Amino acid sequence: MGYEFDVYLSYSRQGSVSEWVFNHFFPSLSEALDDEMPYEPRIFVDQNMATGLAWPLSLERALLRSRLMVAVLSAPYFRSQWCLAEWMTMSGRERESVATDDLIVPVVYAGGKNFPDFARSRQLVDFKTWSVPHDLFRHSRDYLDFHREVRRLAVDIAERLRTVPEWDAAWQVVRPDAVSPSTQSKW
């Protein structure tokens, strides 16, 4: 047993972020990480789930078996019990590990002013300039800047992956039904 994935990609399915993740961010991040790492990176994104799997359990397993999490932030992210549970799970691992607070890489897709304090207190990577979900974005001049920023992010992620703690079977997952406004304040 141990890690199965290098990166767990966390995002809200609300709004246009999902389209942006699959049209632009995920493919670019996969390519850029592949250029930075000594082996082919393993990125979990929920489109990879096999038909017939019990998806809540599959998401939990993937999160527990991922070295770090890239969270694509938007206002709907913080209204989603699933997204908050993913954040709390990885944040809890950071606290338990003591050695690192680098297991969550927050990428801002939209918003920011109304994010909770626990998110705003982190170093956020701002992608709002390039939060264009439409396929035509790939053919625009701005796409080159987006691609360069994803490459910078991949360098950071590859570096963080070198320092993640050893996998621990005792790590716990926070379930969405355990997320409430009172639990959010402590994360």
Side-chain angles (χ1 to χ4, degrees):
M1 291 237 168
Y3 289 117
E4 293 177 22
F5 301 99
D6 298 301
V7 174
Y8 182 96
L9 192 53
S10 176
Y11 66 96
S12 170
R13 292 184 167 271
Q14 300 299 310
S16 61
V17 70
S18 181
E19 188 178 352
W20 179 79
V21 164
F22 291 112
N23 283 345
H24 307 299
F25 186 69
F26 174 59
S28 293
L29 181 62
S30 297
E31 178 184 285
L33 269 177
D34 194 36
D35 290 341
E36 293 299 325
M37 296 181 59
Y39 57 88
E40 185 175 346
R42 298 158 301 180
I43 302 174
F44 178 85
V45 61
D46 59 7
Q47 88 179 59
N48 296 344
M49 291 174 43
T51 304
L53 289 178
W55 63 271
L57 295 176
S58 297
L59 290 174
E60 287 178 9
R61 178 182 171 86
L63 183 59
L64 285 172
R65 302 271 181 194
S66 294
R67 295 178 187 279
L68 61 78
M69 180 176 81
V70 173
V72 181
L73 307 183
S74 60
Y77 187 93
F78 297 103
R79 295 191 300 261
S80 165
Q81 287 182 291
W82 278 102
C83 293
L84 288 171
E86 292 167 356
W87 183 288
M88 291 176 186
T89 296
M90 199 58 78
S91 179
R93 185 185 307 177
E94 287 176 337
R95 280 194 311 284
E96 289 173 21
S97 301
V98 182
T100 186
D101 62 352
D102 286 344
L103 301 180
I104 299 174
V105 180
V107 171
V108 180
Y109 170 77
K113 291 184 171 128
N114 296 318
F115 289 174
D117 289 342
F118 66 83
R120 287 194 333 241
S121 68
R122 294 189 178 251
Q123 183 69 33
L124 304 175
V125 183
D126 192 344
F127 273 79
K128 289 184 295 193
T129 300
W130 307 291
S131 60
V132 181
H134 308 291
D135 198 40
L136 292 176
F137 174 53
R138 187 181 323 272
H139 305 289
S140 72
R141 181 172 274 168
D142 288 339
Y143 194 81
L144 295 173
D145 293 332
F146 163 77
H147 192 71
R148 282 186 198 102
E149 191 60 31
V150 171
R151 288 203 164 279
R152 278 193 276 280
L153 179 64
V155 169
D156 178 50
I157 290 170
E159 187 62 36
R160 289 180 192 218
L161 286 169
R162 290 188 208 17
T163 63
V164 298
E166 292 293 320
W167 189 79
D168 187 340
W171 284 334
Q172 299 292 311
V173 67
V174 176
R175 295 222 160 100
D177 57 0
V179 176
S180 69
S182 63
T183 59
Q184 291 177 34
S185 62
K186 69 180 186 179
W187 301 98

